[in-house]
Amino acid sequence: MTNDAFDDSAQLRLEIAAAAARLVAQDGADYGSAKRKAARQVLGDAPNRPNILPDNDMIEEQVRQYNALFLAGSQPARLFQLRTIALQVMEALQQFHPLLSGPVLNGTAGPHDEIYLQLFAESAKEIHIFLLNKNVVLDMSESPHFKGARYDAVETASFLWKNEGVHAAMYELDDMRGALKAKADGKVLRTDIAGLRSLLAASLADGMPAAD
């Protein structure tokens, strides 16, 4: 009885993850809203079960599978393009120790995805002034701190770079401590310029044509 209930919950969680992955890949939904909408699609009016929602790692894996099944002809080139542009932005912002995160780093980026960076400076104002002096049009907002909910949200500058959306979260220099440390399972959550260059070099070695 217990095993049947466990198997049922695991299957529902997988179905929700797959439905959420479709929303992410097809519509560009964020993981949080995608999993909630997917849960409504799968469960309907049934009472919510505790711990039925999949975690982000499960959704990410389902996005990878979706890309492999339905976007194999276009997604690798799109990912390479975004990584190339991300490198250009990071090089332009090199003095602020840029780190890349999100789908462009983990390899799931598709047609709707944008570039997510984390910048580090004595003050967010330094970054703000630097971008304005480069005539970059900014849209300011806030993002959750990558270290968790107990930390204050950080200012985030959103702008276009070669017609691609870039979201640069602005952190204090002290936040760099441990930022490049991998998770216990070895998963890398962010990378620096050198790491991104290595990813691009690996793509070229696998036969990806260089971007124009």
Side-chain angles (χ1 to χ4, degrees), residues 57-191:
D57 287 343
M58 182 177 288
I59 296 175
E60 181 182 314
E61 179 55 31
Q62 290 297 312
V63 174
R64 292 184 193 283
Q65 293 187 27
Y66 182 95
N67 288 341
L69 285 171
F70 301 107
L71 299 176
S74 60
Q75 190 268 338
R78 170 63 176 163
L79 175 62
F80 188 87
Q81 176 191 35
L82 285 169
R83 283 177 169 174
T84 299
I85 293 174
L87 179 60
Q88 294 170 1
V89 181
M90 292 170 75
E91 289 175 338
L93 297 169
Q94 189 164 4
Q95 70 190 78
F96 301 116
H97 317 284
L99 300 179
L100 175 68
S101 63
V104 179
L105 170 61
N106 68 36
T108 62
H112 301 288
D113 283 296
E114 298 181 317
I115 297 165
Y116 289 85
L117 301 179
Q118 295 165 359
L119 307 179
F120 302 85
E122 292 287 352
S123 167
K125 188 175 181 180
E126 291 180 39
I127 304 170
H128 193 208
I129 292 173
F130 178 88
L131 290 169
L132 289 177
N133 286 340
K134 297 293 184 181
N135 297 316
V136 176
V137 178
L138 303 178
D139 181 18
M140 301 303 298
S141 61
E142 289 188 339
S143 299
H145 200 295
F146 70 78
K147 290 187 176 180
R150 69 181 185 276
Y151 291 86
D152 292 336
V154 297
E155 282 191 89
T156 300
S158 298
F159 53 92
L160 290 176
W161 188 283
K162 293 195 173 180
N163 295 318
E164 296 291 350
V166 179
H167 306 278
M170 299 182 286
Y171 291 88
E172 297 179 358
L173 284 174
D174 287 347
D175 290 320
M176 288 185 64
R177 189 177 300 111
L180 289 174
K181 185 177 180 181
K183 292 175 63 177
D185 61 3
K187 182 179 180 180
V188 175
L189 296 179
R190 51 193 67 86
T191 193

